[in-house]
Amino acid sequence: MQESTQLRDVTALTVPRVGRVEKTGDPLLPYRLLDRDGIEVAAVSEFLLDMLADDDSPASLRSYAYEHAALVPIC
């Protein structure tokens, strides 16, 4: 197998936005995952609420929200 040394120009790539993590300002749910239409993904919010009930930090909730954004197909 021959290795390629040619670099890809990634500046021309376009990645469709399929959702986002939003900081809410609410200490009872500091972050939430929104789908491409801006609607809260309820299953992820429920998971984050369970984490918060287990005394996880808001920073951990933020990390898990981003992880779910990568894993959950948001249509």
Side-chain angles (χ1 to χ4, degrees):
M1 186 162 75
Q2 190 175 17
E3 233 178 276
S4 173
T5 57
Q6 184 177 7
L7 297 176
R8 253 177 98 181
D9 179 14
V10 295
T11 60
L13 294 176
T14 57
V15 179
R17 181 175 287 253
V18 294
R20 69 180 188 276
V21 174
E22 177 182 74
K23 186 174 184 177
T24 65
D26 181 356
L28 298 178
L29 185 62
Y31 295 94
R32 64 184 182 162
L33 179 61
L34 304 176
D35 67 10
R36 73 174 69 184
D37 297 321
I39 299 170
E40 183 175 356
V41 180
V44 174
S45 291
E46 186 176 336
F47 174 78
L48 297 175
L49 286 168
D50 287 343
M51 286 184 64
L52 195 60
D54 286 338
D55 207 25
D56 286 298
S57 73
S60 292
L61 272 65
R62 180 179 179 270
S63 294
Y64 274 90
Y66 275 106
E67 190 65 24
H68 278 83
L71 295 175
V72 175
I74 304 172
C75 300

